[in-house]
Amino acid sequence: MNKLKTLFFASALAIASLTPIYAKSYDFSLSAPVNAGTVKLEPGRYTVKVDGTSATLILAKNNKTIEVPMKVAEGTTKFKTTAVNTKQGGSAVELTSIDLGGSKMKVEFSN
């Protein structure tokens, strides 16, 4: 019975420690088209919400919702601002990650 209580407490603590990242949304802008994994994103203002293994991107101008597979990585220090990281991938610009301002979390996309 004690092992069950300990396991329950540890699970609850782990979930509680991840809750702030999943409860928040973060805004960013793209000035040019980019690829996030297999998804092409048009320029504009976006809101990103993280949920498990996917990120929901919402384009502000028309509220278009886009689900993109990703993984969450933890940095060593808190990011001061939300920042988009890209790289040139052949003929297209690829979205590699988004630093989530006010947290140590980074959303990473597979390209």
Side-chain angles (χ1 to χ4, degrees):
M1 187 69 161
N2 272 344
K3 286 184 181 180
L4 184 59
K5 284 182 183 179
T6 302
L7 180 61
F8 176 76
F9 179 72
S11 298
L13 185 61
I15 291 169
S17 69
L18 293 176
T19 300
I21 178 105
Y22 296 115
K24 257 184 127 174
S25 61
Y26 301 85
D27 297 324
F28 67 94
S29 295
L30 297 174
S31 59
V34 299
N35 293 333
T38 59
V39 179
K40 186 170 185 171
L41 302 175
E42 62 183 274
R45 285 188 19 233
Y46 287 84
T47 298
V48 61
K49 295 179 183 179
V50 179
D51 183 25
T53 59
S54 68
T56 301
L57 303 176
I58 303 166
L59 181 57
K61 74 177 181 183
N62 60 9
N63 286 328
K64 180 179 177 183
T65 301
I66 305 156
E67 295 288 325
V68 182
M70 59 84 202
K71 70 177 184 174
V72 176
E74 187 169 344
T76 55
T77 59
K78 280 188 176 182
F79 297 109
K80 291 182 181 181
T81 60
T82 298
V84 174
N85 303 298
T86 61
K87 70 175 183 179
Q88 186 66 41
S91 62
V93 176
E94 297 176 354
L95 178 62
T96 56
S97 63
I98 302 172
D99 303 337
L100 303 178
S103 76
K104 292 182 179 182
M105 301 301 196
K106 174 185 282 203
V107 176
E108 296 179 336
F109 301 95
S110 297
N111 291 314

